[in-house]
Amino acid sequence: VYCGNSTTRAIADSVQPDDQSKCFMVNPTHTGSVITPGLLPPLKSAWIFQMQPAESYPIIADGKVFVCSKSPSTSSEEDVTINAIDKSTGTLVWSYVLPAVIYGEANLCFDSGSLFVVTLDGQVTALNASNGALLWTIQLGGQSDYDAPPVARSGVLYVTGGADALYAIDESSGGVHWSQPLAGTDGSPTVTLDAVYSCHDTSTVYKFDLSGNQIWRVPSFNSGGGNTCPLYESTLFCSQAYDTAFHDGF
């Protein structure tokens, strides 16, 4: 179990399974669940890693825990440090600094040995998860408020911004495969082996195939910003002003 604020703490028991949490709410369908045989109380602290205030949920993959922290600043731009911490010992393996990030906000996800970082102003950075080496970086334009956590699956990184689009980006090169104009969302995309779902602040839920073609759109009866919608056993669960569930075959 890993808990993050300014201190990242590991709670250990006698079993050390190879659990992974690759994105916001653990997996690309956001069920928030992993199976960990033997993880039972009483638990004890295994290690503590001290850092600046945390700005992200932890990513647990490749034998490491990845988390963003930001340097205190009196301006609207703050340096963000991506920390890669050894999962077993709590020691720092590597760190990478993104300078002058708006409000110091950044979100992470992992896939196939790469760590992806998306900042509030739409800078997307790919790092080698083993050593922190820069693989590529791109700047998405035409939007603001990229505060929705990204999702990476099967070689494609999915990013939504706060105003206008869903992007599908090649994990290897940073090239944009496709984008779809949308009304805006604060929710992380939900990605399966054959579809991408997104909930938007116009009270609309979308389903796209992996080529970016719209399969359906339905009202979610939500108001305000978008939301992250878990998908479990062919049902997409959306929650904001009201609780709403859609069958995948809607």
Side-chain angles (χ1 to χ4, degrees):
V1 179
Y2 297 86
C3 308
N5 277 319
S6 58
T7 298
T8 295
R9 179 188 299 269
I11 306 296
D13 68 346
S14 58
V15 178
Q16 300 292 328
D18 187 24
D19 295 334
Q20 295 194 92
S21 178
K22 295 184 177 182
C23 59
F24 177 64
M25 295 174 65
V26 177
N27 52 50
T29 55
H30 303 305
T31 61
S33 175
V34 292
I35 298 174
T36 308
L39 184 62
L40 300 170
L43 305 177
K44 63 181 181 180
S45 177
W47 51 259
I48 296 174
F49 180 80
Q50 298 284 355
M51 58 187 176
Q52 297 289 343
E55 268 302 306
S56 74
Y57 43 87
I59 296 295
I60 306 166
D62 195 36
K64 304 175 188 68
V65 179
F66 304 95
V67 65
C68 289
S69 60
K70 65 179 181 180
S71 300
S73 173
T74 57
S75 73
S76 62
E77 295 184 345
E78 301 171 278
D79 293 349
V80 169
T81 300
I82 297 95
N83 302 284
I85 307 161
D86 186 278
K87 187 178 72 170
S88 299
T89 65
T91 57
L92 182 67
V93 179
W94 57 260
S95 63
Y96 187 93
V97 177
L98 294 174
V101 174
I102 298 295
Y103 299 126
E105 291 191 24
N107 286 302
L108 306 173
C109 66
F110 172 93
D111 190 37
S112 301
S114 296
L115 186 73
F116 303 97
V117 190
V118 180
T119 62
L120 184 66
D121 57 358
Q123 180 183 352
V124 184
T125 301
L127 303 173
N128 184 310
S130 295
N131 56 25
L134 177 65
L135 300 177
W136 52 259
T137 184
I138 62 171
Q139 178 67 51
L140 298 177
Q143 298 191 59
S144 60
D145 295 337
Y146 287 83
D147 54 358
V151 172
R153 185 168 193 169
S154 303
V156 181
L157 174 67
Y158 299 92
V159 177
T160 55
D164 295 315
L166 165 69
Y167 293 91
I169 301 169
D170 187 272
E171 289 184 10
S172 298
S173 67
V176 177
H177 287 307
W178 53 264
S179 63
Q180 275 284 1
L182 298 169
T185 180
D186 293 324
S188 179
T190 301
V191 185
T192 68
L193 292 175
D194 60 3
V196 184
Y197 304 82
S198 198
C199 181
H200 292 266
D201 60 8
T202 53
S203 302
T204 303
V205 180
Y206 294 86
K207 178 182 180 180
F208 301 96
D209 66 20
L210 298 186
S211 297
N213 301 304
Q214 182 178 299
I215 305 302
W216 51 252
R217 57 183 291 179
V218 295
S220 69
F221 311 107
N222 291 342
S223 61
N227 201 11
T228 298
C229 299
L231 178 69
Y232 182 71
E233 294 186 347
S234 298
T235 301
L236 188 70
F237 296 89
C238 304
S239 175
Q240 184 103 350
Y242 302 93
D243 292 328
T244 311
F246 299 111
H247 192 275
D248 182 35
F250 190 97

mmCIF file of all heavy atoms in Angstrom, residues 146-192:
data_model
loop_
_atom_site.group_PDB
_atom_site.id
_atom_site.type_symbol
_atom_site.label_atom_id
_atom_site.label_comp_id
_atom_site.label_asym_id
_atom_site.label_seq_id
_atom_site.Cartn_x
_atom_site.Cartn_y
_atom_site.Cartn_z
ATOM 1 N N TYR A 146 -5.046 21.137 -18.887
ATOM 2 C CA TYR A 146 -4.872 19.691 -19.094
ATOM 3 C C TYR A 146 -4.708 19.020 -17.731
ATOM 4 O O TYR A 146 -3.659 18.464 -17.406
ATOM 5 C CB TYR A 146 -3.641 19.420 -19.957
ATOM 6 C CG TYR A 146 -3.795 19.764 -21.414
ATOM 7 C CD1 TYR A 146 -3.611 21.060 -21.868
ATOM 8 C CD2 TYR A 146 -4.127 18.784 -22.347
ATOM 9 C CE1 TYR A 146 -3.735 21.379 -23.210
ATOM 10 C CE2 TYR A 146 -4.261 19.090 -23.693
ATOM 11 C CZ TYR A 146 -4.060 20.394 -24.119
ATOM 12 O OH TYR A 146 -4.185 20.705 -25.449
ATOM 13 N N ASP A 147 -5.758 19.082 -16.930
ATOM 14 C CA ASP A 147 -5.652 18.543 -15.578
ATOM 15 C C ASP A 147 -6.261 17.158 -15.440
ATOM 16 O O ASP A 147 -6.314 16.611 -14.345
ATOM 17 C CB ASP A 147 -6.270 19.494 -14.558
ATOM 18 C CG ASP A 147 -7.707 19.868 -14.891
ATOM 19 O OD1 ASP A 147 -8.218 19.426 -15.938
ATOM 20 O OD2 ASP A 147 -8.316 20.627 -14.108
ATOM 21 N N ALA A 148 -6.715 16.560 -16.537
ATOM 22 C CA ALA A 148 -7.238 15.193 -16.491
ATOM 23 C C ALA A 148 -6.078 14.208 -16.568
ATOM 24 O O ALA A 148 -5.199 14.342 -17.421
ATOM 25 C CB ALA A 148 -8.208 14.954 -17.641
ATOM 26 N N PRO A 149 -6.028 13.198 -15.704
ATOM 27 C CA PRO A 149 -4.933 12.222 -15.765
ATOM 28 C C PRO A 149 -4.923 11.480 -17.098
ATOM 29 O O PRO A 149 -5.979 11.063 -17.595
ATOM 30 C CB PRO A 149 -5.263 11.268 -14.609
ATOM 31 C CG PRO A 149 -6.075 12.087 -13.652
ATOM 32 C CD PRO A 149 -6.897 12.985 -14.522
ATOM 33 N N PRO A 150 -3.740 11.298 -17.694
ATOM 34 C CA PRO A 150 -3.647 10.564 -18.960
ATOM 35 C C PRO A 150 -3.743 9.059 -18.740
ATOM 36 O O PRO A 150 -3.582 8.568 -17.623
ATOM 37 C CB PRO A 150 -2.262 10.960 -19.481
ATOM 38 C CG PRO A 150 -1.459 11.170 -18.223
ATOM 39 C CD PRO A 150 -2.425 11.764 -17.227
ATOM 40 N N VAL A 151 -3.953 8.331 -19.834
ATOM 41 C CA VAL A 151 -3.984 6.868 -19.806
ATOM 42 C C VAL A 151 -3.170 6.360 -20.988
ATOM 43 O O VAL A 151 -3.310 6.854 -22.110
ATOM 44 C CB VAL A 151 -5.418 6.330 -19.887
ATOM 45 C CG1 VAL A 151 -5.417 4.814 -20.051
ATOM 46 C CG2 VAL A 151 -6.210 6.710 -18.644
ATOM 47 N N ALA A 152 -2.321 5.360 -20.757
ATOM 48 C CA ALA A 152 -1.540 4.739 -21.823
ATOM 49 C C ALA A 152 -1.871 3.252 -21.885
ATOM 50 O O ALA A 152 -1.888 2.571 -20.858
ATOM 51 C CB ALA A 152 -0.042 4.945 -21.581
ATOM 52 N N ARG A 153 -2.120 2.783 -23.105
ATOM 53 C CA ARG A 153 -2.436 1.359 -23.266
ATOM 54 C C ARG A 153 -2.107 0.916 -24.687
ATOM 55 O O ARG A 153 -2.431 1.612 -25.652
ATOM 56 C CB ARG A 153 -3.910 1.094 -22.968
ATOM 57 C CG ARG A 153 -4.294 -0.386 -23.005
ATOM 58 C CD ARG A 153 -5.662 -0.633 -22.427
ATOM 59 N NE ARG A 153 -5.878 -2.057 -22.202
ATOM 60 C CZ ARG A 153 -6.894 -2.583 -21.521
ATOM 61 N NH1 ARG A 153 -7.794 -1.778 -20.984
ATOM 62 N NH2 ARG A 153 -6.994 -3.878 -21.357
ATOM 63 N N SER A 154 -1.428 -0.212 -24.792
ATOM 64 C CA SER A 154 -1.150 -0.846 -26.085
ATOM 65 C C SER A 154 -0.471 0.097 -27.063
ATOM 66 O O SER A 154 -0.819 0.160 -28.250
ATOM 67 C CB SER A 154 -2.439 -1.406 -26.695
ATOM 68 O OG SER A 154 -3.067 -2.319 -25.825
ATOM 69 N N GLY A 155 0.498 0.873 -26.573
ATOM 70 C CA GLY A 155 1.290 1.722 -27.446
ATOM 71 C C GLY A 155 0.714 3.079 -27.749
ATOM 72 O O GLY A 155 1.295 3.839 -28.536
ATOM 73 N N VAL A 156 -0.424 3.427 -27.143
ATOM 74 C CA VAL A 156 -1.062 4.720 -27.408
ATOM 75 C C VAL A 156 -1.329 5.434 -26.085
ATOM 76 O O VAL A 156 -1.826 4.836 -25.129
ATOM 77 C CB VAL A 156 -2.378 4.554 -28.195
ATOM 78 C CG1 VAL A 156 -3.012 5.917 -28.471
ATOM 79 C CG2 VAL A 156 -2.133 3.823 -29.507
ATOM 80 N N LEU A 157 -0.999 6.723 -26.051
ATOM 81 C CA LEU A 157 -1.248 7.578 -24.903
ATOM 82 C C LEU A 157 -2.466 8.437 -25.190
ATOM 83 O O LEU A 157 -2.544 9.095 -26.230
ATOM 84 C CB LEU A 157 -0.027 8.473 -24.659
ATOM 85 C CG LEU A 157 -0.153 9.556 -23.579
ATOM 86 C CD1 LEU A 157 -0.271 8.926 -22.194
ATOM 87 C CD2 LEU A 157 1.041 10.506 -23.643
ATOM 88 N N TYR A 158 -3.440 8.448 -24.263
ATOM 89 C CA TYR A 158 -4.679 9.210 -24.440
ATOM 90 C C TYR A 158 -4.687 10.379 -23.457
ATOM 91 O O TYR A 158 -4.504 10.209 -22.250
ATOM 92 C CB TYR A 158 -5.893 8.318 -24.223
ATOM 93 C CG TYR A 158 -5.963 7.170 -25.208
ATOM 94 C CD1 TYR A 158 -5.397 5.928 -24.899
ATOM 95 C CD2 TYR A 158 -6.554 7.324 -26.460
ATOM 96 C CE1 TYR A 158 -5.433 4.880 -25.805
ATOM 97 C CE2 TYR A 158 -6.590 6.281 -27.374
ATOM 98 C CZ TYR A 158 -6.030 5.065 -27.040
ATOM 99 O OH TYR A 158 -6.054 4.025 -27.937
ATOM 100 N N VAL A 159 -4.900 11.574 -24.007
ATOM 101 C CA VAL A 159 -4.853 12.804 -23.222
ATOM 102 C C VAL A 159 -6.077 13.644 -23.537
ATOM 103 O O VAL A 159 -6.439 13.810 -24.711
ATOM 104 C CB VAL A 159 -3.585 13.623 -23.538
ATOM 105 C CG1 VAL A 159 -3.580 14.938 -22.756
ATOM 106 C CG2 VAL A 159 -2.330 12.819 -23.234
ATOM 107 N N THR A 160 -6.742 14.177 -22.509
ATOM 108 C CA THR A 160 -7.816 15.138 -22.711
ATOM 109 C C THR A 160 -7.441 16.456 -22.066
ATOM 110 O O THR A 160 -6.763 16.496 -21.044
ATOM 111 C CB THR A 160 -9.150 14.651 -22.104
ATOM 112 O OG1 THR A 160 -8.948 14.331 -20.720
ATOM 113 C CG2 THR A 160 -9.673 13.441 -22.830
ATOM 114 N N GLY A 161 -7.881 17.547 -22.684
ATOM 115 C CA GLY A 161 -7.653 18.874 -22.139
ATOM 116 C C GLY A 161 -8.936 19.437 -21.572
ATOM 117 O O GLY A 161 -9.994 18.814 -21.636
ATOM 118 N N GLY A 162 -8.858 20.658 -21.049
ATOM 119 C CA GLY A 162 -9.999 21.236 -20.355
ATOM 120 C C GLY A 162 -10.987 21.926 -21.244
ATOM 121 O O GLY A 162 -11.962 22.478 -20.762
ATOM 122 N N ALA A 163 -10.780 21.908 -22.577
ATOM 123 C CA ALA A 163 -11.687 22.681 -23.412
ATOM 124 C C ALA A 163 -12.149 21.959 -24.668
ATOM 125 O O ALA A 163 -13.321 21.993 -24.989
ATOM 126 C CB ALA A 163 -11.040 24.017 -23.798
ATOM 127 N N ASP A 164 -11.228 21.322 -25.407
ATOM 128 C CA ASP A 164 -11.614 21.042 -26.779
ATOM 129 C C ASP A 164 -11.356 19.660 -27.358
ATOM 130 O O ASP A 164 -11.862 19.390 -28.439
ATOM 131 C CB ASP A 164 -10.948 22.056 -27.724
ATOM 132 C CG ASP A 164 -11.440 23.470 -27.501
ATOM 133 O OD1 ASP A 164 -12.657 23.650 -27.367
ATOM 134 O OD2 ASP A 164 -10.595 24.364 -27.430
ATOM 135 N N ALA A 165 -10.545 18.788 -26.792
ATOM 136 C CA ALA A 165 -10.185 17.603 -27.562
ATOM 137 C C ALA A 165 -9.711 16.431 -26.716
ATOM 138 O O ALA A 165 -9.247 16.584 -25.589
ATOM 139 C CB ALA A 165 -9.106 17.952 -28.582
ATOM 140 N N LEU A 166 -9.847 15.263 -27.345
ATOM 141 C CA LEU A 166 -9.239 14.020 -26.884
ATOM 142 C C LEU A 166 -8.157 13.668 -27.892
ATOM 143 O O LEU A 166 -8.413 13.648 -29.103
ATOM 144 C CB LEU A 166 -10.288 12.911 -26.811
ATOM 145 C CG LEU A 166 -9.790 11.469 -26.701
ATOM 146 C CD1 LEU A 166 -9.134 11.234 -25.349
ATOM 147 C CD2 LEU A 166 -10.947 10.488 -26.907
ATOM 148 N N TYR A 167 -6.933 13.421 -27.411
ATOM 149 C CA TYR A 167 -5.803 13.100 -28.269
ATOM 150 C C TYR A 167 -5.380 11.653 -28.074
ATOM 151 O O TYR A 167 -5.333 11.159 -26.942
ATOM 152 C CB TYR A 167 -4.603 13.986 -27.942
ATOM 153 C CG TYR A 167 -4.772 15.451 -28.271
ATOM 154 C CD1 TYR A 167 -5.268 16.330 -27.317
ATOM 155 C CD2 TYR A 167 -4.430 15.950 -29.520
ATOM 156 C CE1 TYR A 167 -5.423 17.683 -27.602
ATOM 157 C CE2 TYR A 167 -4.573 17.292 -29.819
ATOM 158 C CZ TYR A 167 -5.072 18.154 -28.855
ATOM 159 O OH TYR A 167 -5.222 19.491 -29.133
ATOM 160 N N ALA A 168 -5.026 10.994 -29.194
ATOM 161 C CA ALA A 168 -4.379 9.682 -29.166
ATOM 162 C C ALA A 168 -2.968 9.871 -29.701
ATOM 163 O O ALA A 168 -2.779 10.263 -30.867
ATOM 164 C CB ALA A 168 -5.146 8.686 -30.015
ATOM 165 N N ILE A 169 -1.959 9.611 -28.861
ATOM 166 C CA ILE A 169 -0.566 9.940 -29.163
ATOM 167 C C ILE A 169 0.261 8.662 -29.181
ATOM 168 O O ILE A 169 0.134 7.819 -28.288
ATOM 169 C CB ILE A 169 -0.012 10.911 -28.100
ATOM 170 C CG1 ILE A 169 -0.855 12.203 -28.080
ATOM 171 C CG2 ILE A 169 1.454 11.227 -28.351
ATOM 172 C CD1 ILE A 169 -0.559 13.093 -26.889
ATOM 173 N N ASP A 170 1.121 8.527 -30.192
ATOM 174 C CA ASP A 170 2.005 7.366 -30.280
ATOM 175 C C ASP A 170 3.000 7.373 -29.128
ATOM 176 O O ASP A 170 3.713 8.360 -28.909
ATOM 177 C CB ASP A 170 2.743 7.384 -31.621
ATOM 178 C CG ASP A 170 3.544 6.127 -31.850
ATOM 179 O OD1 ASP A 170 4.713 6.083 -31.427
ATOM 180 O OD2 ASP A 170 3.005 5.176 -32.441
ATOM 181 N N GLU A 171 3.062 6.285 -28.369
ATOM 182 C CA GLU A 171 3.950 6.231 -27.210
ATOM 183 C C GLU A 171 5.428 6.269 -27.593
ATOM 184 O O GLU A 171 6.259 6.770 -26.835
ATOM 185 C CB GLU A 171 3.679 4.954 -26.404
ATOM 186 C CG GLU A 171 2.362 4.941 -25.664
ATOM 187 C CD GLU A 171 2.198 3.691 -24.824
ATOM 188 O OE1 GLU A 171 3.200 2.937 -24.676
ATOM 189 O OE2 GLU A 171 1.095 3.441 -24.312
ATOM 190 N N SER A 172 5.768 5.754 -28.761
ATOM 191 C CA SER A 172 7.169 5.670 -29.158
ATOM 192 C C SER A 172 7.717 6.982 -29.694
ATOM 193 O O SER A 172 8.858 7.355 -29.400
ATOM 194 C CB SER A 172 7.358 4.578 -30.225
ATOM 195 O OG SER A 172 7.003 3.314 -29.717
ATOM 196 N N SER A 173 6.917 7.712 -30.470
ATOM 197 C CA SER A 173 7.418 8.892 -31.171
ATOM 198 C C SER A 173 6.856 10.213 -30.678
ATOM 199 O O SER A 173 7.439 11.271 -30.941
ATOM 200 C CB SER A 173 7.106 8.763 -32.665
ATOM 201 O OG SER A 173 5.696 8.827 -32.888
ATOM 202 N N GLY A 174 5.689 10.198 -30.014
ATOM 203 C CA GLY A 174 5.020 11.427 -29.637
ATOM 204 C C GLY A 174 4.156 12.005 -30.740
ATOM 205 O O GLY A 174 3.576 13.082 -30.576
ATOM 206 N N GLY A 175 4.057 11.294 -31.864
ATOM 207 C CA GLY A 175 3.186 11.756 -32.941
ATOM 208 C C GLY A 175 1.719 11.561 -32.587
ATOM 209 O O GLY A 175 1.347 10.591 -31.928
ATOM 210 N N VAL A 176 0.881 12.492 -33.027
ATOM 211 C CA VAL A 176 -0.554 12.403 -32.744
ATOM 212 C C VAL A 176 -1.223 11.539 -33.802
ATOM 213 O O VAL A 176 -1.222 11.871 -34.986
ATOM 214 C CB VAL A 176 -1.192 13.808 -32.704
ATOM 215 C CG1 VAL A 176 -2.700 13.695 -32.488
ATOM 216 C CG2 VAL A 176 -0.554 14.660 -31.612
ATOM 217 N N HIS A 177 -1.793 10.403 -33.382
ATOM 218 C CA HIS A 177 -2.523 9.525 -34.300
ATOM 219 C C HIS A 177 -3.819 10.188 -34.754
ATOM 220 O O HIS A 177 -4.147 10.199 -35.934
ATOM 221 C CB HIS A 177 -2.850 8.190 -33.621
ATOM 222 C CG HIS A 177 -1.683 7.282 -33.441
ATOM 223 N ND1 HIS A 177 -0.853 6.906 -34.463
ATOM 224 C CD2 HIS A 177 -1.194 6.667 -32.322
ATOM 225 C CE1 HIS A 177 0.093 6.100 -34.008
ATOM 226 N NE2 HIS A 177 -0.092 5.946 -32.712
ATOM 227 N N TRP A 178 -4.566 10.707 -33.781
ATOM 228 C CA TRP A 178 -5.828 11.377 -34.095
ATOM 229 C C TRP A 178 -6.258 12.211 -32.904
ATOM 230 O O TRP A 178 -5.754 12.054 -31.797
ATOM 231 C CB TRP A 178 -6.927 10.381 -34.470
ATOM 232 C CG TRP A 178 -7.197 9.257 -33.487
ATOM 233 C CD1 TRP A 178 -6.697 7.998 -33.532
ATOM 234 C CD2 TRP A 178 -8.042 9.308 -32.316
ATOM 235 N NE1 TRP A 178 -7.161 7.247 -32.470
ATOM 236 C CE2 TRP A 178 -7.996 8.022 -31.705
ATOM 237 C CE3 TRP A 178 -8.835 10.294 -31.722
ATOM 238 C CZ2 TRP A 178 -8.701 7.713 -30.548
ATOM 239 C CZ3 TRP A 178 -9.540 9.987 -30.566
ATOM 240 C CH2 TRP A 178 -9.471 8.708 -29.997
ATOM 241 N N SER A 179 -7.168 13.121 -33.177
ATOM 242 C CA SER A 179 -7.781 13.899 -32.098
ATOM 243 C C SER A 179 -9.250 14.091 -32.428
ATOM 244 O O SER A 179 -9.648 14.079 -33.603
ATOM 245 C CB SER A 179 -7.089 15.247 -31.918
ATOM 246 O OG SER A 179 -7.231 16.058 -33.072
ATOM 247 N N GLN A 180 -10.053 14.249 -31.396
ATOM 248 C CA GLN A 180 -11.490 14.466 -31.557
ATOM 249 C C GLN A 180 -11.897 15.712 -30.785
ATOM 250 O O GLN A 180 -11.606 15.831 -29.593
ATOM 251 C CB GLN A 180 -12.290 13.263 -31.037
ATOM 252 C CG GLN A 180 -12.461 12.147 -32.048
ATOM 253 C CD GLN A 180 -13.498 12.475 -33.110
ATOM 254 O OE1 GLN A 180 -14.088 13.554 -33.114
ATOM 255 N NE2 GLN A 180 -13.712 11.547 -34.020
ATOM 256 N N PRO A 181 -12.553 16.669 -31.452
ATOM 257 C CA PRO A 181 -13.035 17.856 -30.730
ATOM 258 C C PRO A 181 -14.150 17.487 -29.770
ATOM 259 O O PRO A 181 -15.062 16.736 -30.116
ATOM 260 C CB PRO A 181 -13.531 18.770 -31.849
ATOM 261 C CG PRO A 181 -13.871 17.838 -32.973
ATOM 262 C CD PRO A 181 -12.903 16.705 -32.877
ATOM 263 N N LEU A 182 -14.061 17.978 -28.549
ATOM 264 C CA LEU A 182 -15.046 17.691 -27.525
ATOM 265 C C LEU A 182 -15.352 18.967 -26.760
ATOM 266 O O LEU A 182 -14.674 19.983 -26.911
ATOM 267 C CB LEU A 182 -14.521 16.614 -26.570
ATOM 268 C CG LEU A 182 -14.231 15.246 -27.194
ATOM 269 C CD1 LEU A 182 -13.480 14.372 -26.207
ATOM 270 C CD2 LEU A 182 -15.504 14.565 -27.653
ATOM 271 N N ALA A 183 -16.321 18.897 -25.890
ATOM 272 C CA ALA A 183 -16.768 20.097 -25.187
ATOM 273 C C ALA A 183 -15.974 20.382 -23.928
ATOM 274 O O ALA A 183 -16.192 21.381 -23.272
ATOM 275 C CB ALA A 183 -18.250 19.973 -24.835
ATOM 276 N N GLY A 184 -15.039 19.495 -23.578
ATOM 277 C CA GLY A 184 -14.221 19.725 -22.396
ATOM 278 C C GLY A 184 -14.466 18.681 -21.328
ATOM 279 O O GLY A 184 -15.560 18.138 -21.199
ATOM 280 N N THR A 185 -13.418 18.360 -20.571
ATOM 281 C CA THR A 185 -13.550 17.361 -19.523
ATOM 282 C C THR A 185 -12.460 17.542 -18.478
ATOM 283 O O THR A 185 -11.387 18.021 -18.779
ATOM 284 C CB THR A 185 -13.457 15.932 -20.082
ATOM 285 O OG1 THR A 185 -13.581 15.009 -19.018
ATOM 286 C CG2 THR A 185 -12.152 15.684 -20.800
ATOM 287 N N ASP A 186 -12.771 17.172 -17.264
ATOM 288 C CA ASP A 186 -11.751 17.035 -16.238
ATOM 289 C C ASP A 186 -11.504 15.572 -15.920
ATOM 290 O O ASP A 186 -10.730 15.252 -15.031
ATOM 291 C CB ASP A 186 -12.187 17.760 -14.954
ATOM 292 C CG ASP A 186 -12.241 19.255 -15.152
ATOM 293 O OD1 ASP A 186 -11.387 19.775 -15.877
ATOM 294 O OD2 ASP A 186 -13.141 19.892 -14.595
ATOM 295 N N GLY A 187 -12.173 14.685 -16.629
ATOM 296 C CA GLY A 187 -12.086 13.264 -16.339
ATOM 297 C C GLY A 187 -11.048 12.562 -17.180
ATOM 298 O O GLY A 187 -10.790 12.913 -18.334
ATOM 299 N N SER A 188 -10.424 11.538 -16.600
ATOM 300 C CA SER A 188 -9.456 10.723 -17.319
ATOM 301 C C SER A 188 -10.161 9.828 -18.322
ATOM 302 O O SER A 188 -11.234 9.279 -18.019
ATOM 303 C CB SER A 188 -8.680 9.877 -16.309
ATOM 304 O OG SER A 188 -7.747 9.044 -16.946
ATOM 305 N N PRO A 189 -9.609 9.646 -19.529
ATOM 306 C CA PRO A 189 -10.224 8.715 -20.484
ATOM 307 C C PRO A 189 -10.263 7.303 -19.909
ATOM 308 O O PRO A 189 -9.385 6.899 -19.152
ATOM 309 C CB PRO A 189 -9.303 8.787 -21.706
ATOM 310 C CG PRO A 189 -8.525 10.047 -21.549
ATOM 311 C CD PRO A 189 -8.394 10.278 -20.082
ATOM 312 N N THR A 190 -11.283 6.558 -20.279
ATOM 313 C CA THR A 190 -11.408 5.151 -19.905
ATOM 314 C C THR A 190 -11.117 4.333 -21.154
ATOM 315 O O THR A 190 -11.782 4.506 -22.171
ATOM 316 C CB THR A 190 -12.818 4.852 -19.376
ATOM 317 O OG1 THR A 190 -13.072 5.681 -18.233
ATOM 318 C CG2 THR A 190 -12.961 3.392 -18.991
ATOM 319 N N VAL A 191 -10.121 3.447 -21.096
ATOM 320 C CA VAL A 191 -9.616 2.782 -22.297
ATOM 321 C C VAL A 191 -9.687 1.269 -22.130
ATOM 322 O O VAL A 191 -9.165 0.711 -21.152
ATOM 323 C CB VAL A 191 -8.160 3.210 -22.596
ATOM 324 C CG1 VAL A 191 -7.690 2.595 -23.911
ATOM 325 C CG2 VAL A 191 -8.047 4.737 -22.648
ATOM 326 N N THR A 192 -10.322 0.604 -23.108
ATOM 327 C CA THR A 192 -10.364 -0.851 -23.154
ATOM 328 C C THR A 192 -9.524 -1.326 -24.335
ATOM 329 O O THR A 192 -8.838 -0.532 -24.979
ATOM 330 C CB THR A 192 -11.808 -1.358 -23.299
ATOM 331 O OG1 THR A 192 -12.316 -1.008 -24.604
ATOM 332 C CG2 THR A 192 -12.711 -0.735 -22.233
#
